[in-house]
Amino acid sequence: MKAFFNKLRVKNISVHIYYMDTYKAFKTYKEYLIQKKKININKIRYFITIDSQNAHESYLFNNVFLLRTVKKKGPVIGDCKTWKQFRGQSMYPYTINKIAKDLLESHINEVFIVVNQDNSSSIKGLEKAHFKKFASINATRWLFLYFKLNIKKHT
């Protein structure tokens, strides 16, 4: 019940939208086996396990409403997490780079990532993975409605 009421709250958002439209390989000293599981029609989970432990997970969403505010449409990588004991091993940039490669090679034109402006470690990782900043958005959100929308494009 608490989760339901949380969705009804008005929220301030400050995010950057990054994108990749041309694949550029991420160079790493170690390759990981990335597994994939379809959650539902709009969501796929990509994950790395090491010695039967969760090490990293990233999700691919087919449609994110926020992209409409910048007149874009396409798949969005998000809700990424690297477990604490596995941080610093480049699993995050490796995974998102591989997801982008698969999508771009399957004739998707652009792949996006939405990241909070204050999440410096994620920003560093996605820039390592060769994603480019497209826009910054500050707004107030209620359900799927955006108010006081301030968009700054970076391209």
Side-chain angles (χ1 to χ4, degrees):
M1 189 67 123
K2 185 178 179 181
F4 171 76
F5 286 112
N6 266 347
K7 291 184 181 194
L8 294 178
R9 286 191 6 219
V10 173
K11 296 179 183 175
N12 291 321
I13 62 164
S14 296
V15 297
H16 296 302
I17 297 175
Y18 281 77
Y19 76 103
M20 182 184 288
D21 60 357
T22 304
Y23 179 70
K24 184 175 179 186
F26 171 67
K27 305 285 188 227
T28 182
Y29 64 93
K30 185 175 182 179
E31 293 198 14
Y32 299 98
L33 173 64
I34 301 172
Q35 299 175 71
K36 181 176 165 180
K37 181 181 179 187
K38 186 173 184 175
I39 304 299
N40 60 43
I41 197 162
N42 188 49
K43 188 176 184 181
I44 299 172
R45 178 180 182 239
Y46 292 81
F47 59 100
I48 298 170
T49 56
I50 296 178
D51 297 329
S52 301
Q53 288 186 306
N54 288 328
H56 176 82
E57 67 183 8
S58 292
Y59 290 87
L60 179 67
F61 301 90
N62 290 329
N63 187 17
V64 173
F65 192 77
L66 180 67
L67 286 183
R68 294 181 190 179
T69 63
V70 291
K71 296 176 176 49
K72 287 289 185 178
K73 189 176 184 182
V76 177
I77 299 168
D79 292 348
C80 303
K81 176 183 180 178
T82 303
W83 274 257
K84 195 174 252 182
Q85 65 270 34
F86 298 104
R87 291 182 185 163
Q89 298 177 42
S90 296
M91 289 180 195
Y92 171 59
Y94 180 82
T95 302
I96 61 176
N97 186 269
K98 290 290 187 189
I99 294 169
K101 177 183 187 235
D102 291 349
L103 291 167
L104 293 169
E105 286 179 352
S106 71
H107 306 291
I108 300 292
N109 293 329
E110 296 175 302
V111 181
F112 298 92
I113 296 181
V114 178
V115 62
N116 288 334
Q117 290 179 9
D118 61 357
N119 192 342
S120 59
S121 59
S122 286
I123 292 168
K124 183 178 176 184
L126 61 92
E127 289 176 349
K128 270 173 125 177
H130 306 293
F131 279 80
K132 300 172 276 194
K133 191 186 291 186
F134 174 71
S136 298
I137 300 174
N138 292 294
T140 301
R141 185 185 82 205
W142 182 68
L143 298 175
F144 295 105
L145 304 173
Y146 293 89
F147 306 96
K148 301 180 190 170
L149 196 59
N150 181 5
I151 300 170
K152 179 181 177 189
K153 291 194 178 176
H154 297 280
T155 57

